[in-house]
Amino acid sequence: MQTTALLTGRGNNTLKDKNILEVCGKPLLAYPAEAARKSSLIDEFFVSSDDEKILSIAQDCGFKKIKRPADLGRSDSKHVDVIKHALGVIKEEGADPDILVVLLANTVCVKTEWIDECLREILKTPTISAVVPVVSDLDHHPYRAKKKDEDGFLEPFFDFGDRDISSNREEIGDCLFLCHNFWVLNVKKSVYTDGGLSPWKFMGDKVKPYELDWSIDVHTKEDLIRSENWVKANL
């Protein structure tokens, strides 16, 4: 199966130039890029962005440039549209990936071994539509969420009816949150299918979790500090 890596990042962000800000002496996007480049299971490498600085730095990391149209560089642009546009360009260049490793440019929390383990899951079981990193967070379980009623008082976010929901987090079941570091997609069973799991329908309906202890994607200066600490402890 042909496997392609696609690094994605746009230039128009609240934290200016966040994808190329330095973390421990390297541009932020270099961390996912280098982790992917070290994988022996990935055949080709592409970067999709509307920003020439991102494209240039990624090219220096060994990624072929895909310039996004302006309508895919907005804050409300959908990742699925970016992925489909990039796949169209990749196919025009003669490649037709079976597996796409989508790398997000604004994180340091990517290891080659994680990518490879997720890839091997799909290679072993081709009926899987995607393998994606997740973290467990019972403190923010949706069953514990509240909202305001019309009088401004708290009420349960969900209507539980007669169900008795425990206040002990260990008793309310799994709560896994999708990481925004990388996603491994079985292209024909995910991107181009209907009926995937909301809100990331492009991942298909057979999504396997790959559990991590912690992950962070950068949106603030504080996130950069936390990222530096992670790099010093893990890389």
Side-chain angles (χ1 to χ4, degrees):
M1 299 178 77
Q2 185 173 2
T3 301
T4 297
L6 176 66
L7 179 66
T8 64
R10 61 184 178 87
N12 181 23
N13 296 289
T14 305
L15 180 60
K16 183 175 173 55
D17 288 334
K18 70 176 181 181
N19 293 315
I20 59 175
L21 293 177
E22 284 200 357
V23 175
C24 295
K26 291 196 296 191
L28 183 57
L29 67 80
Y31 288 93
E34 291 177 1
R37 288 290 297 175
K38 291 176 184 176
S39 172
S40 62
L41 301 177
I42 300 177
D43 304 303
E44 292 190 292
F45 304 84
F46 291 85
V47 54
S48 166
S49 183
D50 61 319
D51 187 280
E52 285 297 338
K53 289 177 286 187
I54 291 173
L55 292 170
S56 179
I57 293 173
Q59 185 178 46
D60 290 342
C61 294
F63 285 67
K64 300 176 186 177
K65 296 193 291 185
I66 297 175
K67 183 66 179 288
R68 290 186 203 174
D71 64 325
L72 293 181
R74 301 194 309 257
S75 60
D76 61 349
S77 299
K78 302 294 189 295
H79 226 120
V80 62
D81 296 325
V82 171
I83 291 169
K84 287 181 177 179
H85 171 262
L87 283 171
V89 174
I90 292 168
K91 289 180 180 180
E92 286 176 3
E93 296 199 5
D96 189 13
D98 301 291
I99 300 175
L100 189 70
V101 181
V102 179
L103 305 158
L104 282 75
N106 65 323
T107 183
V108 298
C109 297
V110 185
K111 293 184 179 182
T112 304
E113 63 194 78
W114 297 350
I115 295 173
D116 286 349
E117 287 175 13
C118 291
L119 282 168
R120 290 190 183 102
E121 282 283 348
I122 289 181
L123 292 171
K124 180 179 66 176
T125 311
T127 54
I128 293 174
S129 62
V131 183
V132 297
V134 298
V135 293
S136 176
D137 187 355
L138 293 176
D139 283 335
H140 296 93
H141 197 293
Y143 280 10
R144 308 181 93 188
K146 304 293 183 185
K147 61 183 177 180
K148 292 180 182 178
D149 65 15
E150 59 185 16
D151 297 316
F153 293 100
L154 290 179
E155 64 179 4
F157 191 85
F158 297 102
D159 180 4
F160 294 113
D162 294 330
R163 288 186 62 189
D164 184 21
I165 305 299
S166 175
S167 61
N168 295 330
R169 63 180 191 170
E170 293 83 5
E171 297 180 30
I172 53 179
D174 286 343
C175 183
L176 302 174
F177 285 91
L178 190 74
C179 296
H180 283 70
N181 51 358
F182 71 93
W183 310 316
V184 179
L185 308 179
N186 188 350
V187 175
K188 293 181 176 61
K189 294 187 178 298
S190 58
V191 180
Y192 298 112
T193 60
D194 296 324
L197 305 178
S198 291
W200 295 279
K201 291 187 176 182
F202 62 87
M203 294 182 182
D205 61 358
K206 297 290 183 183
V207 183
K208 193 83 178 286
Y210 181 75
E211 293 195 41
L212 300 178
D213 292 330
W214 191 80
S215 183
I216 185 172
D217 46 304
V218 172
H219 297 288
T220 66
K221 291 181 179 179
E222 289 75 20
D223 293 335
L224 286 170
I225 296 171
R226 296 167 68 197
S227 296
E228 287 184 356
N229 292 335
W230 189 89
V231 168
K232 292 173 182 176
N234 290 275
L235 299 178

